[in-house]
Amino acid sequence: MTDPGQRLLLLDTASLYFRAFFGVPDSVRAPDGTPVNAVRGLLDFITRLVADYRPSHLACCWDNDWRPQWRVDLLPSYKAHRVQREVAGAPDVEVVPDPLETQVPVIRDVLAAFGIVVVGADGYEADDVIGTLATDAGMPVDVVTGDRDLFQLVDDEAEVRILYIARGVGRHERVTNTVVREKYGIDGRQYADFAALRGDPSDGLPGVAGVGEKTAATLLNRFGDLPGIVAASLDPEADLAPGPRRKIKDAAGYLEAAPSVVAVARHLDLGSPDLTLPRTPAEPDVLVALSEQWGLGGSVARLVDTLTTR
């Protein structure tokens, strides 16, 4: 039986540290002049989220591969506009500002010193790690992200919701199935198919030409899911107007590949990481040294206080 006090907080870590980097002035620097705005901003975000939601468990979910080759093989346009350099046999290099790239190893070191677990999977994105950890978690789950694709995980019955930070961590929105239906006219479980139909330029998803949000929602409510829509397009007796029927048929190749690209993985083998959120730093001496080296004093102290008093 699940402890009623348990709650799992899953962080889309890159979403948070990118937001910190662009939201915290780059005048925030270490004693040697290195920018640490993303490091301090991320720590402050974690402090706020832990203080507000009091999770018993937390994972910083990581992009071991931000653009998996298997997704690119299915849909070559997937995130293509964000590639800085292609690398044979390894993850492509994403366009990341140099002052942020230098901070990512510091983030990893500080999280390790706190004892906050980082979870990634080779060949998969943080979204897939989140999908796996959120599925059958055995406790309420809050997913912190600025990525609407993760709305597909919303499940009121399983108590999985999204803390959507598009307007900022301090102004985040709690997204439940009711919210998804109010915004888009569909259920959360239909969101991946909805995104495939509508398209998403930020991920290089072209969508079905001429099908916007309203048409996508209408089709999903009428036929249930993407396979149902495709089947209807091939059935002369189906209640599908000539215009949408033609558009769906013309996009048959795309619609065969897109669902696997958009759907997050839910059953990765992640081992058995201990997601228990520590009450005290795992390596206090290391944390002190890192704090002094990188000038993280206030941000580290606030998170320590929040962990020990929650």
Side-chain angles (χ1 to χ4, degrees):
M1 184 175 179
T2 301
D3 184 332
Q6 291 190 327
R7 175 172 293 276
L8 172 60
L9 191 66
L10 298 175
L11 307 185
D12 181 356
T13 315
S15 183
L16 284 164
Y17 67 60
F18 265 92
R19 183 165 294 276
F21 176 76
F22 288 108
V24 178
D26 63 5
S27 58
V28 176
R29 294 176 177 258
D32 68 357
T34 302
V36 289
N37 51 337
V39 185
R40 294 197 60 156
L42 176 64
L43 293 176
D44 289 342
F45 289 160
I46 294 174
T47 297
R48 180 165 192 156
L49 291 162
V50 169
D52 287 350
Y53 291 97
R54 302 288 172 178
S56 56
H57 297 72
L58 183 148
C60 284
C61 302
W62 208 264
D63 285 313
N64 280 20
D65 190 339
W66 68 278
R67 188 177 183 245
Q69 187 59 47
W70 63 268
R71 282 192 165 108
V72 177
D73 290 343
L74 289 167
L75 191 67
S77 64
Y78 183 65
K79 295 186 177 179
H81 59 296
R82 289 158 55 182
V83 175
Q84 182 179 70
R85 186 175 74 257
E86 293 186 355
V87 180
D92 292 335
V93 177
E94 185 178 12
V95 177
V96 177
D98 289 343
L100 172 56
E101 190 171 8
T102 61
Q103 296 182 61
V104 174
V106 181
I107 289 170
R108 292 292 299 254
D109 290 344
V110 173
L111 292 174
F114 267 108
I116 295 174
V117 67
V118 171
V119 185
D122 290 346
Y124 291 90
E125 302 172 54
D127 287 5
D128 301 307
V129 174
I130 289 169
T132 296
L133 293 176
T135 300
D136 301 324
M139 67 184 79
V141 179
D142 287 320
V143 176
V144 184
T145 185
D147 186 353
R148 290 186 299 173
D149 284 348
L150 288 173
F151 288 2
Q152 64 188 274
L153 297 177
V154 167
D155 185 334
D156 290 357
E157 185 175 340
E159 295 187 85
V160 178
R161 64 184 178 181
I162 305 298
L163 305 182
Y164 186 50
I165 59 171
R167 294 187 298 170
V169 174
R171 302 173 60 204
H172 68 265
E173 180 179 14
R174 298 185 185 99
V175 178
T176 62
N177 196 66
T178 299
V179 173
V180 174
R181 181 150 283 283
E182 288 175 351
K183 281 180 175 289
Y184 304 108
I186 57 167
D187 289 322
R189 60 180 174 78
Q190 297 173 300
Y191 191 87
D193 287 349
F194 175 78
L197 286 164
R198 176 203 62 199
D200 186 347
S202 68
D203 280 341
L205 296 175
V208 176
V211 173
E213 290 192 352
K214 289 185 178 180
T215 301
T218 298
L219 292 172
L220 285 167
N221 280 307
R222 185 173 299 164
F223 301 109
D225 56 19
L226 203 44
I229 295 169
V230 172
S233 74
L234 301 174
D235 179 2
E237 303 300 319
D239 179 21
L240 186 59
R245 184 185 296 271
R246 186 188 70 255
K247 292 168 184 174
I248 296 298
K249 292 174 75 171
D250 288 348
Y254 164 74
L255 290 176
E256 186 176 352
S260 296
V261 174
V262 179
V264 302
R266 292 175 179 258
H267 300 288
L268 298 181
D269 182 2
L270 299 175
S272 302
D274 183 1
L275 307 185
T276 304
L277 183 61
R279 289 192 172 274
T280 57
E283 300 178 272
D285 293 342
V286 173
L287 185 61
V288 169
L290 288 169
S291 181
E292 292 176 352
Q293 179 182 357
W294 299 110
L296 307 176
S299 296
V300 164
R302 284 188 290 273
L303 183 51
V304 169
D305 289 344
T306 300
L307 291 175
T308 57
T309 59
R310 78 181 200 277

